[in-house]
Amino acid sequence: MIAPVLPPQIDSKATAKAVQALIERHQSHPGALLPLLHAVQDTLGHVPADAVPLIATGLNLSRAEVHGVITYYHHFRSEPAGRHVVQICRAEACQACGADALIGEAERLLGCGLHKTRPDDAVTLEAVYCLGLCASSPALMVDGTPHARVTAATLARIVAQLEIQA
């Protein structure tokens, strides 16, 4: 069985305190926004909407600038992910080797669409753009563990190990 990655559940006061501590750690560094956003997501499991004004104020940016960066990069989530995160590579090498068909099969097996989390919070399906396994395409990552040369049968075995029902 693949162990789930569980983001901590944090109330908004604790969220504000955690975000403020991360801002203080990063704000004196040039180009602090991206490292700060990574730190927030690593700590909270996502970048909550109520963190955006805190980050903007702490880095002397507009809320629109912070929101724009969060929504531009596929890596950042504004909502918590499911207990399991399945990321399928959509870079050129993986697409050439069948990533689009793999995404369709993943949507069917997992019971959720791309960039969505199932209503039961069991799994989130995401696209990523290069896992560094181009010579072993198509590739995906499940809860931080990479898988290469993934076929529909391989994907079915991986999903079965997650012990979730679609």
Side-chain angles (χ1 to χ4, degrees):
M1 180 178 132
I2 297 174
V5 175
L6 298 174
Q9 299 299 315
I10 300 175
D11 64 40
S12 54
K13 263 189 186 177
T15 299
K17 187 175 180 179
V19 170
Q20 193 58 48
L22 293 169
I23 290 168
E24 289 168 10
R25 189 177 312 149
H26 288 86
Q27 71 188 147
S28 63
H29 303 286
L33 181 56
L34 281 174
L36 173 57
L37 291 173
H38 281 284
V40 170
Q41 182 154 303
D42 290 346
T43 302
L44 303 177
H46 67 295
V47 182
D50 57 355
V52 171
L54 297 172
I55 293 168
T57 300
L59 298 183
N60 197 28
L61 300 169
S62 72
R63 288 184 300 210
E65 288 173 297
V66 175
H67 177 75
V69 170
I70 293 168
T71 57
Y72 178 79
Y73 290 103
H74 294 280
H75 173 77
F76 298 118
R77 297 182 191 99
S78 56
E79 298 293 327
R83 291 185 303 278
H84 297 284
V85 177
V86 177
Q87 298 173 308
I88 300 179
C89 182
R90 297 204 66 202
E92 290 81 2
C94 286
Q95 281 199 34
C97 292
D100 288 340
L102 200 58
I103 288 170
E105 185 65 6
E107 289 175 331
R108 185 185 73 74
L109 289 170
L110 298 172
C112 69
L114 198 56
H115 302 292
K116 302 286 184 199
T117 299
R118 279 189 3 191
D120 65 359
D121 291 326
V123 66
T124 298
L125 179 60
E126 298 176 336
V128 293
Y129 295 88
C130 197
L131 292 170
L133 297 169
C134 303
S136 304
S137 298
L140 60 82
M141 189 166 348
V142 179
D143 296 335
T145 301
H147 299 269
R149 293 190 175 97
V150 179
T151 64
T154 307
L155 178 62
R157 283 193 300 276
I158 291 167
V159 170
Q161 289 178 334
L162 297 177
E163 296 182 355
I164 58 175
Q165 301 295 322

